[in-house]
Amino acid sequence: MRLLRNGRKHVAHAEAAIHPPTGRILLEVDDLATHFNTPRGTVKAVDGVSFTLDRGRTLGLVGESGCGKSVLSRSIMGLLPSRNVTRKGMISFDGNRLDQMGPAEMRSFWGTQLGMVFQDPMTSLNPVMRIGKQITESLDFHFDMDRSEAQETALALLKSVNIPEPARRLRQYPHELSGGMRQRVVIAVALACGPKLLFADEPTTALDVTVQAQILDLLRQQQRDREMAMVLVSHDLGVVAGHTDEIAVMYAGQIVEKAPTRSLFAKMRMPYTAALLQSIPRLENPSHTRLNVIAGRPPDLIDPPSGCRFAPRCPYAQDRCREEQPPLIESDDPGHVYRCWYPVGTEAGREALERNLAADVPQAQLAVAGDASVVTGDD
Amino acid sequence: MILRRLAHLVIVLFFVTLFVATLTAMLPGDPVDAIAGFASPEQKEALRQDLKLDDPVYVQYGRWVGNFVTGDLGNYYSVTGGRPVADRVKDALPVSLQLMLEAQILALVIAIPLGVFTAYRAGSRFDKGANATAFALLAIPNFAIALVLAYYVGVRFGWLPVSGYVKPSDDLVEHLRRMAMPAIALAVGQIAVYMRLLRSDMIATLQEDYILMAKSKGISPSHVLWRHALRPSSLTLLTVAGLNVGVLIGGAVIVEVIFSLPGIGTLLYEAIQARQYIALQSLVAIIAVGYVLINFLVDVLYAVLDPRIRHARA
Amino acid sequence: MPELDPAAPVEPPLIPTTTLEPVDLVAAVEGPEPEAERAVRRGRLGIGGTAALFWLFLVVALALLAPVLPIDDPNTSIASIAKQGPGTEGHILGGDGLGRDVLSRVIWGSRATLLLAVSAVLLGLILGGALGLIAGYFRGRADTGLTGLFDVLLSFPQLILAVTLVTVFAGGGVSSTRRMIVLILALGVVSIPVLGRITRASTLSWCQREFVTASRAIGARNRSIIIGEVLPNVLPAMFSIALLGIAVVIVAEGGLSLLGVGIQLPTPSWGNMIAEGRSDLRDAPHIVMVPTVAIFLTVLALNYLGDIVRARFDVRESAL
């Protein structure tokens, strides 16, 4: 432990690790649950999530608004409010048990080991603080750099995120930059102290489409340069498709399907994933094509249904789905798990769909009205 | 935009000075009798000529304004002769200004940390206690606090002197000792207001994304609070602090009287007691005009500081 | 100064159950204000409100019943109890500088103080309210003129304006009654702009509602619309500000007395008891403290109830 010039204590984590780092696995989450106590009841925003992430790999986290993906990243980081929130489960990062740490200990991880990029660059930068200061702040805090060293590092960071005229930008305020540039700055700020894991929470949602690809490529590039792992959260399957190694689909606080990216798109099993993919409007469709929305709304997180949580909206749902919640089942592909009794692309699934169509179940009809091949899992 | 405010200012100043200038005319009966009832008939006649009270209203008004801005504030009239008001005002004005400034600083110095901590720990027992105390303090009048302080701290415990004034340039410590209780009496009510104002702005700011982002960089909570959260939250507070001068003025008058501080408030009190209407007129004019000007400056400052206002007008 | 926003009433944020973004969740669990204030915000009485109401009833009852209460004459001096503290035999709150019973004076004093406060605020309500209604309903030049009037009146620090008016119109050597009347008028005039502004803001907001347009559409006369439709809705806002206004005037009376232009002696009032007792502060502080405590409790009760009424009727928070 070093006593910094300014009197703060800096704990270098290489020597303070309780357990030695276990090979390739950087992050391991086991049965994580996050519950919020609100006056209306306990909201189970995250309800039993488990996954692992290797060093340098990217996990995509996809789902609708309110499925708990943002809460999940904040839960792992430990950035939740202190009162009226309960977090359970195991979180192991680089051999350290994050779930057992209080805010003071977590602070030594934030910035240096764990970083986060937020959705809206308009609001994630302090409007009354200069850009340079926002970058050098963490450098000074964690590494006790003197001014010139910090300035140079900040300059280098801005260059590495492809910001033109970096020296000028250092002295500017956030509102003087465009949205895309602001997001680059946010990335620079998050990466300043070289974290091993970056949570990118919808990093492109607030940006123009033209800028989105640039930002995603930038993130990918930074990852490779720094050998950094990343969790890329988005509601947009398209964003996640080209930029991740693995994808986890979340619904109502649980992971409902997880697979290496290619397998997911080639052989998706969970009807929800299929519906998500189907709902992406396609460029080749004629104009005025109806959008294939998923009928219904996400379930109440205070009192979720007892069976499968997607059942009320699922074209394949059968009685069993409504009574018993399916566990995560391994499929024949390596690393592919899903949570469904009548999965897409299987015999059982096809029969279930036909039964529903025959019975005039509205969700089934809606689903089939769209691209039938996607729904039935044929290519 | 600034032109519109200036026009507004001029109009307000006109009506304010018009009202004050005609005060003596509003006195029941003959103004000269009211001003110098003790004088002999010849003296009264001379006074009437001197004050040119027979001139038409607008001429009198113009003359009054001219006198006011050149520093001629009329005279005190007593049996022993007249004395210019301006002389006494020259000495009294700094005292009042010092009192208000010190009270304001004291209030901010106490209210800002309280506001920050109660916002940070919103909902905690400390927060609830602080809020309840603030609410109760708001109900205590300035003079009540002044009297309680004067009695307990001044008389019973004898820690601080209860009256008198010492210039800061002469002896800073004694100056502060004498200003302490008056400043506290004025500041207490303000503390409650400022604390709650800052608290609600801070609570809103603390929910902003950039605060979470700052947290996620791993910097300490106090750093986040004071370096990131405070500045954007303090705009309303500073504006209200500026505008609150009016409340302070009223309170300062009473506090000066209670603690025998030789400021404008005491002059006003003396003028009232002695029915010195000319002096009263000038003193009220000084206070009113000063108040209007300060409000105007704060208004302009607010528009300049808050980029949202600037953009809304643009 | 940011103009009072005549927007729709503020409702407490509903907590969504399903699509909860993290920010919503944070707001939902942390909440912007502590529990007690949330109770006020819902407009319920609660313990504080009941206590406040009780105190006010007590004060008003004692004030009204003073002539028939078994207390001493407030103006009779009894030499033996002069400057004796509370707990003196037969005089539970002691005697003042001239030997008058403090308890009796504080009860009789409440009559004068409350009369002044209520009358002044009533005057302000009627005049200010009328002007505010006109300004808010008719808009246009009437509004500009009236708002300008309010602005000019508000350009004076309130206490200074009151002191000036009383000194000029009821300076030395006037009768008790005249002083009282002038005090009521002066403090009423001082409260006009505040009450006027609030009423105007409230009127503006209510006039945007459909029922006013509907009334106009069926050809109802302006006067009946204002009195029949707008006024009943504006009254709650005015009422809550009136409660706060009474508290302000009670305090102002104290200030005016200390400056020598309060309610004329020997009629007791809370304010002039304090002013008189100041000279005896060293040896007999209770003379000053008893009326001070009375003022404090009454103002506290009025503030609290004013807040509750305001919350009850969803009036936007505004500075007095």
Side-chain angles (χ1 to χ4, degrees), chain B residues 8 12 23 28 136 144 147 151 196 199 203 254 272 275 291 299, chain C residues 1 32 34 37 151 155 163-164 168 172 255 274 281 285 292 296:
Chain B
H8 187 254
V12 168
L23 273 179
L147 289 169
Y151 177 65
R196 295 174 102 197
R199 176 184 173 276
I203 287 179
I254 300 178
I272 294 171
R275 314 290 168 215
Y291 179 53
D299 242 357
Chain C
M1 173 139 198
E37 283 194 20
D151 271 350
S155 306
V163 165
T164 314
V168 166
I274 296 177
L281 189 59
T292 303
F296 168 59

PDB file of all heavy atoms in Angstrom, chain B residues 8 12 23 28 136 144 147 151 196 199 203 254 272 275 291 299, chain C residues 1 32 34 37 151 155 163-164 168 172 255 274 281 285 292 296:
ATOM      1  N   HIS B   8     -36.811  48.240 -17.745  1.00  0.00           N
ATOM      2  CA  HIS B   8     -37.589  47.850 -16.569  1.00  0.00           C
ATOM      3  C   HIS B   8     -37.021  48.491 -15.318  1.00  0.00           C
ATOM      4  O   HIS B   8     -37.756  49.019 -14.471  1.00  0.00           O
ATOM      5  CB  HIS B   8     -37.567  46.320 -16.462  1.00  0.00           C
ATOM      6  CG  HIS B   8     -38.455  45.763 -15.412  1.00  0.00           C
ATOM      7  ND1 HIS B   8     -37.978  45.261 -14.226  1.00  0.00           N
ATOM      8  CD2 HIS B   8     -39.799  45.642 -15.344  1.00  0.00           C
ATOM      9  CE1 HIS B   8     -38.990  44.843 -13.495  1.00  0.00           C
ATOM     10  NE2 HIS B   8     -40.107  45.059 -14.138  1.00  0.00           N
ATOM     11  N   VAL B  12     -38.937  51.121 -12.762  1.00  0.00           N
ATOM     12  CA  VAL B  12     -39.118  50.822 -11.339  1.00  0.00           C
ATOM     13  C   VAL B  12     -38.481  51.911 -10.484  1.00  0.00           C
ATOM     14  O   VAL B  12     -39.075  52.406  -9.524  1.00  0.00           O
ATOM     15  CB  VAL B  12     -38.525  49.441 -10.994  1.00  0.00           C
ATOM     16  CG1 VAL B  12     -38.455  49.252  -9.496  1.00  0.00           C
ATOM     17  CG2 VAL B  12     -39.342  48.345 -11.623  1.00  0.00           C
ATOM     18  N   LEU B  23     -43.152  61.612  -0.121  1.00  0.00           N
ATOM     19  CA  LEU B  23     -43.520  61.237   1.242  1.00  0.00           C
ATOM     20  C   LEU B  23     -43.861  62.439   2.103  1.00  0.00           C
ATOM     21  O   LEU B  23     -44.869  62.456   2.804  1.00  0.00           O
ATOM     22  CB  LEU B  23     -42.377  60.443   1.901  1.00  0.00           C
ATOM     23  CG  LEU B  23     -42.396  58.943   1.649  1.00  0.00           C
ATOM     24  CD1 LEU B  23     -41.207  58.297   2.341  1.00  0.00           C
ATOM     25  CD2 LEU B  23     -43.677  58.321   2.148  1.00  0.00           C
ATOM     26  N   PRO B  28     -49.798  64.326   6.969  1.00  0.00           N
ATOM     27  CA  PRO B  28     -51.020  65.065   7.271  1.00  0.00           C
ATOM     28  C   PRO B  28     -50.669  66.471   7.756  1.00  0.00           C
ATOM     29  O   PRO B  28     -49.728  66.651   8.505  1.00  0.00           O
ATOM     30  CB  PRO B  28     -51.677  64.233   8.379  1.00  0.00           C
ATOM     31  CG  PRO B  28     -50.600  63.363   8.904  1.00  0.00           C
ATOM     32  CD  PRO B  28     -49.589  63.192   7.851  1.00  0.00           C
ATOM     33  N   ALA B 136     -38.145  24.507  11.931  1.00  0.00           N
ATOM     34  CA  ALA B 136     -38.413  25.227  13.175  1.00  0.00           C
ATOM     35  C   ALA B 136     -37.705  26.576  13.177  1.00  0.00           C
ATOM     36  O   ALA B 136     -38.273  27.590  13.582  1.00  0.00           O
ATOM     37  CB  ALA B 136     -37.972  24.398  14.371  1.00  0.00           C
ATOM     38  N   ALA B 144     -36.180  37.754  17.608  1.00  0.00           N
ATOM     39  CA  ALA B 144     -36.249  36.799  18.705  1.00  0.00           C
ATOM     40  C   ALA B 144     -34.881  36.167  18.931  1.00  0.00           C
ATOM     41  O   ALA B 144     -34.394  36.087  20.064  1.00  0.00           O
ATOM     42  CB  ALA B 144     -37.292  35.735  18.397  1.00  0.00           C
ATOM     43  N   LEU B 147     -32.568  38.706  20.455  1.00  0.00           N
ATOM     44  CA  LEU B 147     -32.792  38.945  21.884  1.00  0.00           C
ATOM     45  C   LEU B 147     -32.330  37.760  22.718  1.00  0.00           C
ATOM     46  O   LEU B 147     -31.709  37.929  23.768  1.00  0.00           O
ATOM     47  CB  LEU B 147     -34.282  39.222  22.139  1.00  0.00           C
ATOM     48  CG  LEU B 147     -34.744  40.587  21.617  1.00  0.00           C
ATOM     49  CD1 LEU B 147     -36.245  40.692  21.643  1.00  0.00           C
ATOM     50  CD2 LEU B 147     -34.112  41.694  22.452  1.00  0.00           C
ATOM     51  N   TYR B 151     -29.341  38.018  25.388  1.00  0.00           N
ATOM     52  CA  TYR B 151     -29.507  37.701  26.791  1.00  0.00           C
ATOM     53  C   TYR B 151     -28.563  36.589  27.230  1.00  0.00           C
ATOM     54  O   TYR B 151     -27.774  36.747  28.149  1.00  0.00           O
ATOM     55  CB  TYR B 151     -30.943  37.315  27.108  1.00  0.00           C
ATOM     56  CG  TYR B 151     -31.116  36.910  28.548  1.00  0.00           C
ATOM     57  CD1 TYR B 151     -30.929  37.829  29.572  1.00  0.00           C
ATOM     58  CD2 TYR B 151     -31.388  35.591  28.893  1.00  0.00           C
ATOM     59  CE1 TYR B 151     -31.036  37.459  30.895  1.00  0.00           C
ATOM     60  CE2 TYR B 151     -31.506  35.220  30.216  1.00  0.00           C
ATOM     61  CZ  TYR B 151     -31.324  36.159  31.209  1.00  0.00           C
ATOM     62  OH  TYR B 151     -31.422  35.789  32.520  1.00  0.00           O
ATOM     63  N   ARG B 196     -32.114  24.038   2.545  1.00  0.00           N
ATOM     64  CA  ARG B 196     -33.130  23.255   1.856  1.00  0.00           C
ATOM     65  C   ARG B 196     -33.058  23.437   0.350  1.00  0.00           C
ATOM     66  O   ARG B 196     -33.282  22.516  -0.424  1.00  0.00           O
ATOM     67  CB  ARG B 196     -34.511  23.644   2.373  1.00  0.00           C
ATOM     68  CG  ARG B 196     -34.689  23.277   3.826  1.00  0.00           C
ATOM     69  CD  ARG B 196     -36.003  23.785   4.359  1.00  0.00           C
ATOM     70  NE  ARG B 196     -36.969  22.708   4.431  1.00  0.00           N
ATOM     71  CZ  ARG B 196     -38.275  22.888   4.542  1.00  0.00           C
ATOM     72  NH1 ARG B 196     -38.767  24.097   4.550  1.00  0.00           N
ATOM     73  NH2 ARG B 196     -39.083  21.864   4.622  1.00  0.00           N
ATOM     74  N   ARG B 199     -30.085  21.498  -0.873  1.00  0.00           N
ATOM     75  CA  ARG B 199     -30.371  20.078  -0.725  1.00  0.00           C
ATOM     76  C   ARG B 199     -31.220  19.567  -1.881  1.00  0.00           C
ATOM     77  O   ARG B 199     -30.896  18.544  -2.489  1.00  0.00           O
ATOM     78  CB  ARG B 199     -31.096  19.850   0.600  1.00  0.00           C
ATOM     79  CG  ARG B 199     -31.523  18.419   0.827  1.00  0.00           C
ATOM     80  CD  ARG B 199     -32.306  18.314   2.114  1.00  0.00           C
ATOM     81  NE  ARG B 199     -32.860  16.998   2.264  1.00  0.00           N
ATOM     82  CZ  ARG B 199     -34.004  16.607   1.726  1.00  0.00           C
ATOM     83  NH1 ARG B 199     -34.695  17.437   1.003  1.00  0.00           N
ATOM     84  NH2 ARG B 199     -34.432  15.375   1.925  1.00  0.00           N
ATOM     85  N   ILE B 203     -29.874  16.856  -4.598  1.00  0.00           N
ATOM     86  CA  ILE B 203     -30.495  15.541  -4.751  1.00  0.00           C
ATOM     87  C   ILE B 203     -30.786  15.279  -6.214  1.00  0.00           C
ATOM     88  O   ILE B 203     -30.551  14.189  -6.735  1.00  0.00           O
ATOM     89  CB  ILE B 203     -31.777  15.437  -3.910  1.00  0.00           C
ATOM     90  CG1 ILE B 203     -31.414  15.318  -2.437  1.00  0.00           C
ATOM     91  CG2 ILE B 203     -32.603  14.236  -4.324  1.00  0.00           C
ATOM     92  CD1 ILE B 203     -32.609  15.229  -1.524  1.00  0.00           C
ATOM     93  N   ILE B 254     -33.669  45.926  12.312  1.00  0.00           N
ATOM     94  CA  ILE B 254     -34.057  45.575  13.682  1.00  0.00           C
ATOM     95  C   ILE B 254     -32.850  45.113  14.490  1.00  0.00           C
ATOM     96  O   ILE B 254     -32.666  45.508  15.645  1.00  0.00           O
ATOM     97  CB  ILE B 254     -35.116  44.469  13.648  1.00  0.00           C
ATOM     98  CG1 ILE B 254     -36.331  44.963  12.881  1.00  0.00           C
ATOM     99  CG2 ILE B 254     -35.489  44.043  15.048  1.00  0.00           C
ATOM    100  CD1 ILE B 254     -37.414  43.950  12.748  1.00  0.00           C
ATOM    101  N   ILE B 272     -37.175  57.942  12.846  1.00  0.00           N
ATOM    102  CA  ILE B 272     -38.575  57.687  13.157  1.00  0.00           C
ATOM    103  C   ILE B 272     -38.923  58.245  14.538  1.00  0.00           C
ATOM    104  O   ILE B 272     -39.918  58.944  14.713  1.00  0.00           O
ATOM    105  CB  ILE B 272     -38.872  56.179  13.139  1.00  0.00           C
ATOM    106  CG1 ILE B 272     -38.724  55.629  11.724  1.00  0.00           C
ATOM    107  CG2 ILE B 272     -40.284  55.903  13.656  1.00  0.00           C
ATOM    108  CD1 ILE B 272     -38.780  54.130  11.655  1.00  0.00           C
ATOM    109  N   ARG B 275     -39.020  61.930  14.512  1.00  0.00           N
ATOM    110  CA  ARG B 275     -39.878  62.501  13.462  1.00  0.00           C
ATOM    111  C   ARG B 275     -39.090  63.371  12.511  1.00  0.00           C
ATOM    112  O   ARG B 275     -39.533  64.406  12.082  1.00  0.00           O
ATOM    113  CB  ARG B 275     -41.022  63.341  14.060  1.00  0.00           C
ATOM    114  CG  ARG B 275     -41.729  62.692  15.211  1.00  0.00           C
ATOM    115  CD  ARG B 275     -42.562  61.499  14.778  1.00  0.00           C
ATOM    116  NE  ARG B 275     -42.995  60.739  15.963  1.00  0.00           N
ATOM    117  CZ  ARG B 275     -43.117  59.433  16.007  1.00  0.00           C
ATOM    118  NH1 ARG B 275     -42.843  58.714  14.961  1.00  0.00           N
ATOM    119  NH2 ARG B 275     -43.524  58.849  17.111  1.00  0.00           N
ATOM    120  N   TYR B 291     -31.726  48.390  -2.924  1.00  0.00           N
ATOM    121  CA  TYR B 291     -32.389  47.107  -3.087  1.00  0.00           C
ATOM    122  C   TYR B 291     -32.702  46.833  -4.546  1.00  0.00           C
ATOM    123  O   TYR B 291     -32.446  45.744  -5.075  1.00  0.00           O
ATOM    124  CB  TYR B 291     -33.646  47.101  -2.226  1.00  0.00           C
ATOM    125  CG  TYR B 291     -34.464  45.848  -2.289  1.00  0.00           C
ATOM    126  CD1 TYR B 291     -33.901  44.605  -2.057  1.00  0.00           C
ATOM    127  CD2 TYR B 291     -35.826  45.908  -2.556  1.00  0.00           C
ATOM    128  CE1 TYR B 291     -34.669  43.456  -2.103  1.00  0.00           C
ATOM    129  CE2 TYR B 291     -36.596  44.774  -2.599  1.00  0.00           C
ATOM    130  CZ  TYR B 291     -36.013  43.550  -2.363  1.00  0.00           C
ATOM    131  OH  TYR B 291     -36.784  42.418  -2.404  1.00  0.00           O
ATOM    132  N   ASP B 299     -30.294  39.661 -11.167  1.00  0.00           N
ATOM    133  CA  ASP B 299     -31.031  39.211 -12.351  1.00  0.00           C
ATOM    134  C   ASP B 299     -30.110  39.031 -13.548  1.00  0.00           C
ATOM    135  O   ASP B 299     -30.135  38.022 -14.239  1.00  0.00           O
ATOM    136  CB  ASP B 299     -32.079  40.262 -12.701  1.00  0.00           C
ATOM    137  CG  ASP B 299     -33.480  39.693 -12.618  1.00  0.00           C
ATOM    138  OD1 ASP B 299     -33.602  38.477 -12.347  1.00  0.00           O
ATOM    139  OD2 ASP B 299     -34.430  40.446 -12.833  1.00  0.00           O
TER     140      ASP B 299
ATOM    141  N   MET C   1     -35.601  37.641 -12.330  1.00  0.00           N
ATOM    142  CA  MET C   1     -36.068  36.598 -11.407  1.00  0.00           C
ATOM    143  C   MET C   1     -36.993  35.672 -12.172  1.00  0.00           C
ATOM    144  O   MET C   1     -37.854  36.158 -12.899  1.00  0.00           O
ATOM    145  CB  MET C   1     -36.831  37.258 -10.270  1.00  0.00           C
ATOM    146  CG  MET C   1     -37.487  36.252  -9.363  1.00  0.00           C
ATOM    147  SD  MET C   1     -37.329  36.725  -7.674  1.00  0.00           S
ATOM    148  CE  MET C   1     -37.656  35.221  -6.866  1.00  0.00           C
ATOM    149  N   PRO C  32     -36.950  11.690  -3.274  1.00  0.00           N
ATOM    150  CA  PRO C  32     -36.344  13.009  -3.155  1.00  0.00           C
ATOM    151  C   PRO C  32     -36.506  13.635  -1.775  1.00  0.00           C
ATOM    152  O   PRO C  32     -35.855  14.592  -1.468  1.00  0.00           O
ATOM    153  CB  PRO C  32     -37.087  13.846  -4.188  1.00  0.00           C
ATOM    154  CG  PRO C  32     -38.409  13.195  -4.301  1.00  0.00           C
ATOM    155  CD  PRO C  32     -38.234  11.753  -3.970  1.00  0.00           C
ATOM    156  N   PRO C  34     -37.462  13.282   2.664  1.00  0.00           N
ATOM    157  CA  PRO C  34     -37.687  12.407   3.824  1.00  0.00           C
ATOM    158  C   PRO C  34     -39.164  12.206   4.115  1.00  0.00           C
ATOM    159  O   PRO C  34     -40.021  12.946   3.650  1.00  0.00           O
ATOM    160  CB  PRO C  34     -37.014  13.148   4.975  1.00  0.00           C
ATOM    161  CG  PRO C  34     -36.770  14.514   4.498  1.00  0.00           C
ATOM    162  CD  PRO C  34     -36.786  14.517   3.021  1.00  0.00           C
ATOM    163  N   GLU C  37     -41.775  14.986   5.224  1.00  0.00           N
ATOM    164  CA  GLU C  37     -42.193  15.910   4.185  1.00  0.00           C
ATOM    165  C   GLU C  37     -43.100  15.238   3.192  1.00  0.00           C
ATOM    166  O   GLU C  37     -43.971  15.857   2.609  1.00  0.00           O
ATOM    167  CB  GLU C  37     -40.970  16.488   3.464  1.00  0.00           C
ATOM    168  CG  GLU C  37     -40.295  17.537   4.283  1.00  0.00           C
ATOM    169  CD  GLU C  37     -39.315  18.353   3.454  1.00  0.00           C
ATOM    170  OE1 GLU C  37     -39.432  18.369   2.233  1.00  0.00           O
ATOM    171  OE2 GLU C  37     -38.449  18.964   4.071  1.00  0.00           O
ATOM    172  N   ASP C 151     -44.650  44.651  -9.130  1.00  0.00           N
ATOM    173  CA  ASP C 151     -43.199  44.759  -9.145  1.00  0.00           C
ATOM    174  C   ASP C 151     -42.712  45.963  -8.377  1.00  0.00           C
ATOM    175  O   ASP C 151     -41.776  45.884  -7.584  1.00  0.00           O
ATOM    176  CB  ASP C 151     -42.688  44.879 -10.597  1.00  0.00           C
ATOM    177  CG  ASP C 151     -42.425  43.512 -11.191  1.00  0.00           C
ATOM    178  OD1 ASP C 151     -42.447  42.540 -10.433  1.00  0.00           O
ATOM    179  OD2 ASP C 151     -42.218  43.445 -12.412  1.00  0.00           O
ATOM    180  N   SER C 155     -40.518  46.208  -4.941  1.00  0.00           N
ATOM    181  CA  SER C 155     -39.165  46.748  -4.993  1.00  0.00           C
ATOM    182  C   SER C 155     -38.739  47.315  -3.659  1.00  0.00           C
ATOM    183  O   SER C 155     -37.577  47.667  -3.478  1.00  0.00           O
ATOM    184  CB  SER C 155     -39.065  47.859  -6.032  1.00  0.00           C
ATOM    185  OG  SER C 155     -39.507  47.405  -7.259  1.00  0.00           O
ATOM    186  N   VAL C 163     -42.870  50.341   7.620  1.00  0.00           N
ATOM    187  CA  VAL C 163     -42.425  51.346   8.589  1.00  0.00           C
ATOM    188  C   VAL C 163     -42.650  52.753   8.053  1.00  0.00           C
ATOM    189  O   VAL C 163     -43.145  53.641   8.749  1.00  0.00           O
ATOM    190  CB  VAL C 163     -40.930  51.135   8.907  1.00  0.00           C
ATOM    191  CG1 VAL C 163     -40.359  52.350   9.593  1.00  0.00           C
ATOM    192  CG2 VAL C 163     -40.741  49.920   9.754  1.00  0.00           C
ATOM    193  N   THR C 164     -42.278  52.948   6.796  1.00  0.00           N
ATOM    194  CA  THR C 164     -42.421  54.266   6.198  1.00  0.00           C
ATOM    195  C   THR C 164     -43.879  54.717   6.195  1.00  0.00           C
ATOM    196  O   THR C 164     -44.207  55.839   6.603  1.00  0.00           O
ATOM    197  CB  THR C 164     -41.903  54.251   4.753  1.00  0.00           C
ATOM    198  OG1 THR C 164     -40.658  53.585   4.728  1.00  0.00           O
ATOM    199  CG2 THR C 164     -41.768  55.642   4.209  1.00  0.00           C
ATOM    200  N   VAL C 168     -45.329  57.915   8.336  1.00  0.00           N
ATOM    201  CA  VAL C 168     -45.852  59.100   7.663  1.00  0.00           C
ATOM    202  C   VAL C 168     -47.309  59.347   8.026  1.00  0.00           C
ATOM    203  O   VAL C 168     -47.712  60.474   8.295  1.00  0.00           O
ATOM    204  CB  VAL C 168     -45.682  58.941   6.136  1.00  0.00           C
ATOM    205  CG1 VAL C 168     -46.507  59.963   5.393  1.00  0.00           C
ATOM    206  CG2 VAL C 168     -44.219  59.068   5.757  1.00  0.00           C
ATOM    207  N   GLY C 172     -46.143  60.279  15.376  1.00  0.00           N
ATOM    208  CA  GLY C 172     -46.261  60.427  16.811  1.00  0.00           C
ATOM    209  C   GLY C 172     -47.630  60.908  17.225  1.00  0.00           C
ATOM    210  O   GLY C 172     -48.377  61.495  16.445  1.00  0.00           O
ATOM    211  N   GLY C 255     -41.438  43.362  14.645  1.00  0.00           N
ATOM    212  CA  GLY C 255     -40.404  44.249  14.138  1.00  0.00           C
ATOM    213  C   GLY C 255     -40.815  45.702  14.216  1.00  0.00           C
ATOM    214  O   GLY C 255     -40.041  46.571  14.634  1.00  0.00           O
ATOM    215  N   ILE C 274     -42.549  42.775  23.656  1.00  0.00           N
ATOM    216  CA  ILE C 274     -41.127  42.515  23.447  1.00  0.00           C
ATOM    217  C   ILE C 274     -40.366  43.835  23.439  1.00  0.00           C
ATOM    218  O   ILE C 274     -39.312  43.965  24.072  1.00  0.00           O
ATOM    219  CB  ILE C 274     -40.901  41.766  22.121  1.00  0.00           C
ATOM    220  CG1 ILE C 274     -41.573  40.394  22.186  1.00  0.00           C
ATOM    221  CG2 ILE C 274     -39.422  41.619  21.832  1.00  0.00           C
ATOM    222  CD1 ILE C 274     -41.463  39.610  20.900  1.00  0.00           C
ATOM    223  N   LEU C 281     -34.234  43.334  29.859  1.00  0.00           N
ATOM    224  CA  LEU C 281     -33.730  42.037  29.425  1.00  0.00           C
ATOM    225  C   LEU C 281     -32.740  41.440  30.425  1.00  0.00           C
ATOM    226  O   LEU C 281     -32.697  40.244  30.660  1.00  0.00           O
ATOM    227  CB  LEU C 281     -33.068  42.179  28.045  1.00  0.00           C
ATOM    228  CG  LEU C 281     -32.676  40.881  27.347  1.00  0.00           C
ATOM    229  CD1 LEU C 281     -33.888  39.998  27.138  1.00  0.00           C
ATOM    230  CD2 LEU C 281     -32.020  41.176  26.014  1.00  0.00           C
ATOM    231  N   PRO C 285     -35.671  38.566  31.934  1.00  0.00           N
ATOM    232  CA  PRO C 285     -35.786  38.171  30.530  1.00  0.00           C
ATOM    233  C   PRO C 285     -37.136  37.582  30.168  1.00  0.00           C
ATOM    234  O   PRO C 285     -37.521  37.592  29.011  1.00  0.00           O
ATOM    235  CB  PRO C 285     -34.675  37.129  30.359  1.00  0.00           C
ATOM    236  CG  PRO C 285     -34.396  36.636  31.725  1.00  0.00           C
ATOM    237  CD  PRO C 285     -34.667  37.747  32.651  1.00  0.00           C
ATOM    238  N   THR C 292     -42.225  36.102  22.908  1.00  0.00           N
ATOM    239  CA  THR C 292     -41.413  35.518  21.834  1.00  0.00           C
ATOM    240  C   THR C 292     -41.797  34.071  21.592  1.00  0.00           C
ATOM    241  O   THR C 292     -41.970  33.638  20.452  1.00  0.00           O
ATOM    242  CB  THR C 292     -39.915  35.595  22.193  1.00  0.00           C
ATOM    243  OG1 THR C 292     -39.556  36.952  22.430  1.00  0.00           O
ATOM    244  CG2 THR C 292     -39.060  35.042  21.067  1.00  0.00           C
ATOM    245  N   PHE C 296     -43.317  32.414  18.271  1.00  0.00           N
ATOM    246  CA  PHE C 296     -42.640  31.280  17.644  1.00  0.00           C
ATOM    247  C   PHE C 296     -43.608  30.122  17.423  1.00  0.00           C
ATOM    248  O   PHE C 296     -43.709  29.569  16.322  1.00  0.00           O
ATOM    249  CB  PHE C 296     -41.457  30.846  18.510  1.00  0.00           C
ATOM    250  CG  PHE C 296     -40.864  29.525  18.132  1.00  0.00           C
ATOM    251  CD1 PHE C 296     -40.350  29.318  16.858  1.00  0.00           C
ATOM    252  CD2 PHE C 296     -40.833  28.479  19.028  1.00  0.00           C
ATOM    253  CE1 PHE C 296     -39.811  28.100  16.495  1.00  0.00           C
ATOM    254  CE2 PHE C 296     -40.283  27.261  18.680  1.00  0.00           C
ATOM    255  CZ  PHE C 296     -39.778  27.064  17.414  1.00  0.00           C
TER     256      PHE C 296
END
